[in-house]
Amino acid sequence: MKAHKVTETLVYESVLGPEKGYSIDREKIKKDAIHGYLKSKKRDNFKNSIKYKDYEFYYVSQETEFLNSFIRDEFFIKTKEKISLHDKYINVMERFEQSYLRNNINLGSYKESPWYTCVYCCDVLKDSSELVIEYNNHLNRKNIMNFKLENNKIFIFPSTLKFFFSENIGTEPNIFIIFNYDLRGKTNPHAQ
């Protein structure tokens, strides 16, 4: 009897820090990240939209460009695949706030949808919240995985997976940068 792998969903988790050769100035990145939040530049002003708690991320300093390069390098080391930036936005979860369950697929155009989503924990109080990812098992049942959050931690997963940030029970806001990536040289499978 032969076994054929037909599906595999992986979530990549890493901490970008000096021990891995990454020197990241989180304060500079945080300053970039909160720019859209402080100006209330929402990606969608419709209150029932999943993008309502997403803020635009226009300003990009050299430090944020370094971060993007580090993420691409980490992904390449693990998968030998090259990714390119599709878009980015920020989420700021105030005290007792949580995000919506959502993915980053554009239902109006799968062809335009990113392959991968990366969550970067820019400024997170330890044990204040979790990243929750929903997935289907082989019986097509919904399951969830909870991930502990800490500063400089990244999570990369297929953009088809739904995710949310659980309630922030900390005393300070949690700041996340979401990067969406395309896989270089490949047609998006969601479009088929």
Side-chain angles (χ1 to χ4, degrees), residues 17-112:
E19 63 283 348
K20 286 192 146 189
Y22 299 123
S23 178
I24 297 174
D25 187 337
R26 274 190 323 100
E27 287 305 312
K28 285 183 182 176
I29 294 171
K30 179 181 171 182
K31 186 177 178 182
D32 284 357
I34 61 172
H35 189 73
Y37 179 69
L38 294 175
K39 292 195 170 198
S40 293
K41 297 279 190 178
K42 292 183 179 281
R43 290 178 73 206
D44 193 331
N45 287 315
F46 181 58
K47 199 162 189 159
N48 292 327
S49 168
I50 60 169
K51 293 182 181 181
Y52 183 71
K53 293 186 180 185
D54 299 348
Y55 292 88
E56 295 177 2
F57 191 14
Y58 287 124
Y59 181 74
V60 178
S61 71
Q62 190 66 37
E63 204 65 30
T64 304
E65 283 300 319
F66 290 151
L67 171 62
N68 183 36
S69 296
F70 295 157
I71 292 168
R72 289 192 320 250
D73 290 350
E74 275 290 295
F75 189 77
F76 183 77
I77 289 167
K78 189 65 180 170
T79 67
K80 303 300 182 240
E81 298 277 6
K82 293 183 179 180
I83 53 177
S84 58
L85 189 62
H86 182 91
D87 68 346
K88 60 193 173 307
Y89 59 91
I90 62 166
N91 288 136
V92 177
M93 298 294 116
E94 298 284 354
R95 188 170 191 209
F96 301 131
E97 186 177 29
Q98 75 176 45
S99 65
Y100 297 123
L101 176 66
R102 53 89 67 82
N103 62 25
N104 283 309
I105 297 298
N106 179 351
L107 295 176
S109 177
Y110 285 124
K111 190 175 184 179
E112 309 270 329

Side-chain angles (χ1 to χ4, degrees), residues 65 82 99 108 111 133 182-184 186-187:
E65 283 300 319
K82 293 183 179 180
S99 65
K111 190 175 184 179
I133 297 178
D182 295 322
L183 201 52
R184 284 195 207 162
K186 296 205 177 178
T187 305

